Amino acid sequence: MHALKKNRPLRRIVLASAATVSGMVMLLSLKPHASPAAALAVPAPTGSSSASSGTGGTTTTGTRTVTGDTVQTRWGPVQVRITVKSGRLTDVTAVTYPTDNPRDQEINSYAIPRLRSEALQAQSADIDTVSGATYTSDGYRQSLQSALDSAGS
């Protein structure tokens, strides 16, 4: 008689359960991605002192605002805007960062303020990576460096 036709229902139940659990684990481990077209549809930064990536304006007080390059990361674009006053970095704002799903929002709710704080403290793009937000940290650092280069800092 064939091995599967034997009267062993427990073996079949265990195999079917293991296959079902394995399939569910694989499905739940997938992270939804934004389509390439959606990732490229980055809203234009607003503000009177910088109109596009890598440009900035100067005011009479010696304050300059510069928007860094948009850096495409695995989870979405990252872009920062800096304000430099008298050669010192006085403000760093994340203009664009991944917010497509609740997990991105959760990660970036703690990563972006920490990256901003470190950049202001370091006065450079030489900042640490935030644990759990590696891709955002790398994109933030690259965009920050391009803004600093454009500002001449």
Side-chain angles (χ1 to χ4, degrees):
M1 191 180 258
H2 192 268
L4 290 179
K5 293 191 179 204
K6 290 183 179 177
N7 193 11
R8 300 195 187 217
L10 187 58
R11 180 180 289 171
R12 280 187 252 157
I13 291 172
V14 169
L15 288 174
S17 298
T20 303
V21 168
S22 296
M24 291 301 292
V25 167
M26 288 174 29
L27 281 174
L28 293 175
S29 68
L30 292 176
K31 182 176 187 326
H33 289 67
S35 67
L40 295 176
V42 178
T46 59
S48 59
S49 61
S50 70
S52 65
S53 167
T55 62
T58 306
T59 63
T60 56
T61 61
T63 301
R64 183 169 182 174
T65 302
V66 180
T67 302
D69 294 336
T70 300
V71 178
Q72 292 297 329
T73 69
R74 179 176 179 180
W75 307 121
V78 177
Q79 184 179 33
V80 299
R81 179 179 300 133
I82 64 168
T83 303
V84 178
K85 184 174 184 178
S86 303
R88 286 198 43 85
L89 189 61
T90 59
D91 190 27
V92 181
T93 305
V95 178
T96 307
Y97 53 91
T99 58
D100 291 340
N101 60 56
R103 182 69 176 141
D104 288 342
Q105 294 169 7
E106 177 187 353
I107 289 170
N108 291 322
S109 69
Y110 71 83
I112 298 297
R114 187 169 295 167
L115 290 166
R116 178 185 185 276
S117 172
E118 287 209 20
L120 290 173
Q121 186 177 11
Q123 291 292 303
S124 72
D126 186 23
I127 57 177
D128 290 335
T129 298
V130 175
S131 179
T134 304
Y135 293 105
T136 300
S137 297
D138 290 345
Y140 193 97
R141 201 172 15 255
Q142 290 174 27
S143 184
L144 177 60
Q145 185 61 56
S146 74
L148 290 168
D149 292 344
S150 296
S153 298

